Amino acid sequence: MSEIVLINVTGEDRPGIIASLTEILARYHVPVLDIGQSTIHNALALGLLVELPAAGADCGVFKDLLFCAHGMGLDIRFAPIAADAYEGWVHEQGRPRHILTLLGREIDAGHIAKVTAVVAARGLNVDRIARLTGRISRRDRREHPLASVELSVRGAVDSLADLHAEFLALGRVIDVDVSVQEDDIYRRNRRLVCFDMDSTLIQTEVIDELAAAAGVGDQVAAITESAMRGELDFQESFRRRMALLKGLDESVLAGIAERLPITEGADRLIASLKRLGYKVAILSGGFTYFAEHLQRRFGVDYVYANRLDFRDGKLTGEVSGEIIDGRRKADLLREIAERECIRLEQVIAVGDGANDLPMLSIAGLGIAFHAKPIVTQQARHSIANVGLDGILYLLGMRDRDVARLGSMDL
């Protein structure tokens, strides 16, 4: 009767280890049921789950494997696996899986301990851990460091919303963003990203910049904050703010557009996604004048925003056409996805204000970015500690993948 054995190999990594060991297994016609390897700082941990033939033939396998491992300076151990235990392990393969992504400026043992304590308390098991960001020099410090670790966990989650809320609360305490996603085909196959503009792609509210130039900054800022907190209907607040800008000279806009503060990580994120063939959209309650400036800079495919109305070179205090509010943003996201033959599950939406919640709620990956509390609490994902390029790690990308993309021509 055959026997299932787990072979564990540890030691200093070098080329040819797997080839040498599996050549011996092949010589004895031993099936490999599973294989896995990790290497940290040249320290190898290799596991092979094999099915040995009937008693008698296995002695030669053990002897040859031991001799080979010893010759390469490796430790090798054999552990028999009971048939029932193996079958139980096989049947677990259909259990739900989720991906946890930790994002921060630095991730230490305390962060990992707190996150995995939540995982364990919910009866979930960590199957795999991978570092997505590159190796970190302790001598040459980066000005804006990024750290990301990805955990694959197995087991049923009673409420994804409750788990998100728990990680959100934990993230505020430890200053690390923790995102949880279902490990499905859509997580690895997004095709469209839709951005809010103000306080998302750029680190300002353009209407506040216009208001400052018009001398009504405090009045407009108070209305803006109230709207972003969800206390005022967006269209009503928008009309009130626009009325205060009546008479502002058109020449002011060009200077504001040229000095728009681009959000950290925006260039890296959009360039990477464009090279992967993503479609990029700006869906903004701001103004087309500034959104089109960003469109030229980033190569954005779609821009929908409010069009300012001028008369004799001055703002009339009104806008031309339909106001882009939260409901309209969600409708536009659907329209673009349909036009590009993209499922909503393949869409990423990113925003910071209450008027972004409708599009965040229907996108497959809706991200509250450095957002107002009401948005962070209701969105399924949140980034509060890093720049926009943190989204690349939510997609499972590694720094080496991004570097490789950077060498490609658009």
Side-chain angles (χ1 to χ4, degrees):
M1 187 175 181
S2 64
E3 182 180 13
I4 297 171
V5 174
L6 176 60
I7 304 171
N8 286 306
V9 182
T10 57
E12 184 178 349
D13 191 26
R14 69 185 69 180
I17 291 174
I18 297 175
S20 298
L21 296 175
T22 53
E23 190 279 328
I24 294 170
L25 294 173
R27 193 189 313 152
Y28 286 90
H29 306 290
V30 175
V32 176
L33 305 177
D34 197 13
I35 184 170
Q37 175 182 311
S38 65
T39 306
I40 299 178
H41 199 262
N42 296 327
L44 169 75
L46 170 65
L48 296 133
L49 192 64
V50 303
E51 186 176 21
L52 294 175
D58 57 341
C59 295
V61 175
F62 289 139
K63 177 182 175 181
D64 289 353
L65 288 172
L66 282 165
F67 184 80
C68 178
H70 178 74
M72 291 186 287
L74 302 170
D75 292 323
I76 186 166
R77 297 185 179 186
F78 306 96
I81 305 296
D84 289 344
Y86 173 77
E87 291 302 322
W89 174 77
V90 169
H91 291 305
E92 283 185 352
Q93 65 186 328
R95 297 187 71 190
R97 291 178 183 271
H98 293 80
I99 297 295
L100 302 184
T101 309
L102 283 65
L103 287 168
R105 297 300 179 182
E106 188 168 281
I107 294 173
D108 61 27
H111 299 136
I112 297 171
K114 288 180 172 63
V115 170
T116 52
V118 173
V119 171
R122 288 179 171 264
L124 305 173
N125 189 58
V126 178
D127 277 346
R128 178 182 55 81
I129 303 176
R131 173 176 47 81
L132 301 181
T133 43
R135 297 172 183 173
I136 303 169
S137 171
R138 308 312 288 176
R139 294 178 181 173
D140 302 323
R141 304 281 184 163
R142 290 177 56 185
E143 184 179 356
H144 298 291
L146 286 175
S148 182
V149 174
E150 180 182 276
L151 286 72
S152 174
V153 301
R154 173 169 35 89
V157 174
D158 293 334
S159 170
L160 206 54
D162 289 347
L163 185 57
H164 164 72
E166 188 169 0
F167 280 133
L168 180 63
L170 176 61
R172 291 196 194 100
V173 174
I174 64 176
D175 294 326
V176 168
D177 299 314
V178 185
S179 173
V180 54
Q181 303 178 65
E182 293 181 82
D183 189 11
D184 58 24
I185 190 172
Y186 298 115
R187 189 183 75 87
R188 300 179 295 276
N189 193 29
R190 313 290 185 193
R191 303 302 301 157
L192 166 67
V193 58
C194 298
F195 293 101
D196 173 47
M197 179 174 67
D198 297 54
S199 295
T200 299
L201 271 181
I202 56 175
Q203 293 180 302
T204 188
E205 294 284 331
V206 169
I207 198 167
D208 291 342
E209 298 289 330
L210 294 173
V216 292
D218 291 343
Q219 297 150 272
V220 167
I223 298 172
T224 297
E225 282 301 311
S226 183
M228 290 296 99
R229 290 193 301 266
E231 298 168 356
L232 267 181
D233 170 77
F234 179 81
Q235 293 214 15
E236 173 63 23
S237 70
F238 187 78
R239 294 184 192 281
R240 287 190 197 178
R241 289 176 287 176
M242 285 303 304
L244 291 170
L245 300 178
K246 183 177 180 179
L248 185 64
D249 196 275
E250 186 175 359
S251 62
V252 173
L253 277 69
I256 293 175
E258 289 302 321
R259 61 176 185 269
L260 288 176
I262 304 300
T263 298
E264 176 196 345
D267 289 284
R268 182 173 183 242
L269 171 65
I270 296 176
S272 298
L273 296 184
K274 290 287 289 181
R275 287 184 172 96
L276 286 170
Y278 275 67
K279 296 296 182 179
V280 180
I282 294 175
L283 308 180
S284 174
F287 306 110
T288 54
Y289 185 95
F290 304 97
E292 288 170 355
H293 176 83
L294 296 176
Q295 181 179 33
R296 291 187 291 272
R297 171 176 177 149
F298 291 120
V300 172
D301 300 285
Y302 295 95
V303 166
Y304 292 95
N306 298 300
R307 190 167 296 280
L308 291 166
D309 186 52
F310 293 91
R311 186 175 299 125
D312 299 325
K314 297 184 182 299
L315 286 176
T316 65
E318 299 178 354
V319 293
S320 301
E322 183 180 4
I323 292 175
I324 307 296
D325 59 7
R327 177 194 58 79
R328 183 61 180 146
K329 285 187 179 186
D331 289 344
L332 288 166
L333 184 150
R334 287 192 183 93
E335 290 174 16
I336 296 170
E338 184 175 351
R339 187 179 313 163
E340 297 288 345
C341 299
I342 294 170
R343 295 177 60 93
L344 290 178
E345 292 91 341
Q346 296 176 281
V347 179
I348 305 167
V350 191
D352 74 295
N355 64 325
D356 295 311
L357 280 170
M359 74 171 182
L360 298 186
S361 68
I362 64 171
L365 182 61
I367 303 167
F369 180 76
H370 291 257
K372 310 299 184 291
I374 187 174
V375 183
T376 301
Q377 290 164 10
Q378 294 186 37
R380 285 169 290 175
H381 306 276
S382 173
I383 292 178
N385 293 288
V386 299
L388 278 171
D389 51 347
I391 293 171
L392 294 170
Y393 306 111
L394 298 187
L395 302 177
M397 295 184 65
R398 299 171 184 260
D399 278 354
R400 63 173 180 261
D401 301 323
V402 179
R404 199 170 293 125
L405 285 171
S407 66
M408 297 167 54
D409 292 328
L410 284 172

